[in-house]
Structure formats: C-alpha cells, structure tokens
C-alpha cells in the first residue's frame, strides 16, 4: 500500500494493480509451509483490497520458477489478454496501442454519428480499463481501456492515445542486497529484472539501498530503474517482516497483530501453522 502511495507521489506512475505470487513448494526454504496454506493466507490478507490479487501460477508449475520467469509470465499474460504493448523501463514503446487485440482485423468502434455517446478521456483514464479487469483475470471489453484523443481530427474512427504498461518487482532491501552475493543470482536474469522491468525497494531495518547498489555493477548500471520507497516516520515499513510474524506466532507474542490481519491469524491458528509444541 505504501509503495503504491509513494509511486503516485512521484507523479510518474498510476498503479493499476498489485500481484502477490507465492513461491513454489520446491523453493527449498527451511520452514516453508505448503503452497495450499500460503495461497489461502495471501488471499485472506488481500480479500478487502480492490487492487491487489493473489496469483497461483507460480505455485502450480511443475517446479520452482525463477523471479525472472515469473515476471516474464505476467508481462506476456498482460500483453496477450489486453492486446497492449508493454514497455520496458529503458525503452518506452513508440508504437500506438490500439484498443483491440493484436492480429485481429480492425473494426469501427466509434462512429462520428454517435459522438454524444463517446466516453471522455478523463473518464476512461480514471478507470484504466477497470484496472485491466483486475490485472488480467479475464479479458476486459475493448472500449474500457481505449483512450479518446479529444484533440484529434475525427474521421471514420477516432484515434487513440497510447497506454504504456510496466511491471515492476516490489521487494525489500534484503532481496536487493542478495543481488550482491556472488553466484546467488544468474547475471542474465539480473539484467532482465533490473534492466527491462525495474524494481521498487522498501528499505528494511535501516539498510541503505544506495550503499547496496554501489556493491553491484549491474545495480549501478541500472540505478535509474530502481525506485526506493521513502519511509513514513509514523508508519515505518521496516516492521513488515514475515520472519518477525512467524517468531511472534511461535512465542505467543500478541504483537503479531502488528504484522497480520485477524483472518490470517485465525487461519494460522486453525491450521496449526508456525506454532511449536509449547505454544
């Protein structure tokens, strides 16, 4: 939520959706519970959100998927479902995005003779295709993400402005720091993640993202593609921690309420997750 607020404040982005993608069971992390439980907990955590959804694709694959492949999957899905051309961070698209799928014959969408029924650009922009129908859960109607150029010379069909879509990886500074560990990440994947997509970083426990970036040649190379979320002193984001949440559950610490919403806590207790025998 605060990452979205920060991106809006920069004036460079309109965040239309967020995707939570739990990792595959074969990731191999110690203490990782079944994806069945993790998917349910994530769904409970975002059930009141009108812009964040949980995507099971990564969990449902035959084996663990790299972060790079997950980003590419969502980029390809969004492109396929919307028919839009998605821009890389470094090379914004200059190809007009027409409000219809690629490889389909064009058709007249808005005629001059029903001008009074044409939606206005501001109204369409406000919805941005109903957030591309909740980030590609289903195919949205074409007109919902069609931008009307009110200054265009109207012909048989109205002209459309471009929709430039980007997918960014949201992470904590601890993940950013892991990019600096030799051999941990595939360098080609790092080039794609930072160079083609971009990263939004939430600082954790006083970690300095600028210092971290200076320790990696790839991070330095694409420094402009890394956005660091400025912390709100009244609501420090460093308290967001799955590790702290699990420890609080194991020790019966009431501060778990600071990290998790009640439906998730109830599910954890009912399923007896993360709780040791003494708890």
């Amino acid at each position: 939520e605060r990452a979205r607020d920060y991106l809006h404040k920069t004036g460079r982005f309109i965040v239309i959706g967020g995707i939570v993608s739990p990792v595959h069971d074969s990731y191999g992390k110690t203490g990782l519970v079944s994806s069945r439980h993790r998917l349910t907990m994530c769904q409970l955590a975002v059930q009141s959100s009108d812009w964040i959804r949980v995507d099971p694709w990564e969990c449902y694959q035959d084996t663990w998927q790299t972060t790079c492949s997950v980003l590419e999957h969502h980029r390809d899905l969004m492109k396929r479902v919307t028919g839009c051309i998605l821009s890389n961070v470094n090379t914004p698209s200059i190809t007009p995005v027409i409000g219809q799928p690629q490889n389909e014959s064009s058709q007249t969408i808005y005629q001059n003779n029903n001008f009074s029924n044409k939606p206005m650009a501001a109204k369409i922009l406000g919805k941005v295709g109903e957030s591309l129908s909740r980030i590609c859960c289903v195919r949205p109607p074409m007109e919902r993400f069609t931008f009307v150029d009110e200054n265009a010379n109207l012909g048989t069909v109205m002209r459309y402005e471009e929709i430039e879509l980007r997918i960014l990886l949201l992470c904590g500074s601890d993940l950013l720091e892991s990019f600096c560990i030799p051999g941990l990440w595939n360098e080609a994947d790092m080039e794609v993640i930072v160079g083609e997509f971009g990263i939004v970083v939430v600082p954790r426990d006083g970690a300095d993202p600028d210092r971290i970036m200076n320790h990696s040649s790839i991070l330095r190379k694409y420094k402009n593609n890394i956005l660091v979320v400025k912390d709100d002193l009244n609501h420090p984001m460093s308290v967001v921690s799955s590790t702290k949440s699990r420890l609080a559950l194991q020790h019966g610490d009431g501060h778990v309420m600071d990290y998790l919403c009640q439906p998730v806590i109830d599910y954890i207790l009912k399923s007896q997750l993360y709780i040791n025998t003494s708890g």
Side-chain angles (χ1 to χ4, degrees):
E1 297 281 354
R2 299 204 176 95
R4 181 181 69 159
D5 291 344
Y6 175 75
L7 291 175
H8 285 173
K9 287 177 183 177
T10 67
R12 296 172 53 193
F13 302 92
I14 298 174
V15 178
I16 64 171
I19 300 170
V20 178
S21 181
V23 74
H24 193 275
D25 283 339
S26 64
Y27 179 59
K29 182 176 180 178
T30 303
L32 189 69
V33 301
S34 165
S35 59
R36 173 175 63 88
H37 291 306
R38 289 183 285 110
L39 280 169
T40 301
M41 287 187 287
C42 288
Q43 288 163 348
L44 289 170
V46 304
Q47 63 183 351
S48 62
S49 175
D50 62 356
W51 67 279
I52 306 173
R53 74 175 182 86
V54 180
D55 190 282
W57 178 85
E58 188 175 353
C59 287
Y60 288 172
Q61 300 310 295
D62 292 335
T63 186
W64 168 73
Q65 302 293 307
T66 65
T67 302
C68 184
S69 65
V70 174
L71 289 169
E72 289 173 335
H73 160 75
H74 288 292
R75 178 191 62 192
D76 295 344
L77 174 65
M78 195 174 293
K79 179 177 179 180
R80 189 166 65 249
V81 170
T82 66
C84 293
I85 296 173
L86 273 67
S87 298
N88 290 342
V89 173
N90 288 338
T91 56
S93 170
I94 59 173
T95 306
V97 177
I98 307 301
Q100 65 181 60
Q102 297 170 350
N103 301 323
E104 282 192 21
S105 59
S106 62
Q107 53 182 298
T108 301
I109 300 176
Y110 298 119
Q111 298 286 353
N112 278 345
N113 57 11
N114 66 344
F115 179 80
S116 61
N117 295 326
K118 297 186 180 83
M120 291 296 98
K123 181 179 179 182
I124 298 298
L125 177 59
K127 291 291 185 178
V128 193
E130 297 295 335
S131 296
L132 290 179
S133 197
R134 295 293 175 263
I135 313 302
C136 304
C137 289
V138 294
R139 177 171 176 72
M142 288 183 292
E143 64 270 22
R144 286 196 176 182
F145 58 94
T146 300
F147 283 67
V148 181
D149 184 353
E150 297 178 62
N151 299 315
N153 179 23
L154 300 179
T156 304
V157 182
M158 295 187 71
R159 287 160 51 188
Y160 309 108
E161 296 175 331
E162 180 178 0
I163 302 172
E164 182 183 318
L165 300 175
R166 293 179 182 173
I167 295 176
L168 300 168
L169 173 65
L170 174 64
C171 68
S173 53
D174 49 342
L175 188 144
L176 186 72
E177 194 163 23
S178 73
F179 282 177
C180 303
I181 301 174
L184 184 62
W185 288 81
N186 180 291
E187 288 203 6
D189 282 2
M190 287 178 61
E191 286 271 354
V192 172
I193 293 170
V194 191
E196 293 188 16
F197 289 95
I199 303 178
V200 181
V201 181
V202 175
R204 279 186 168 177
D205 295 327
D208 182 1
D210 288 325
R211 177 190 61 78
I212 294 171
M213 284 185 268
N214 288 331
H215 281 79
S216 165
S217 60
I218 293 178
L219 296 181
R220 285 197 305 272
K221 178 180 178 181
Y222 297 110
K223 191 172 183 177
N224 290 337
N225 295 347
I226 302 173
L227 296 104
V228 180
V229 178
K230 303 303 180 184
D231 210 344
D232 184 338
L233 295 178
N234 295 321
H235 299 90
M237 289 174 287
S238 61
V239 303
V240 179
S241 168
S242 56
T243 301
K244 290 179 181 178
S245 301
R246 289 190 294 270
L247 288 173
L249 286 163
Q250 288 172 5
H251 298 129
D253 187 344
H255 286 297
V256 72
M257 297 289 293
D258 297 337
Y259 313 126
L260 303 176
C261 61
Q262 192 62 50
V264 175
I265 295 174
D266 292 342
Y267 180 85
I268 289 171
L269 294 174
K270 179 181 178 180
S271 304
Q272 291 291 290
L273 304 176
Y274 310 118
I275 301 172
N276 58 27
T277 53
S278 62

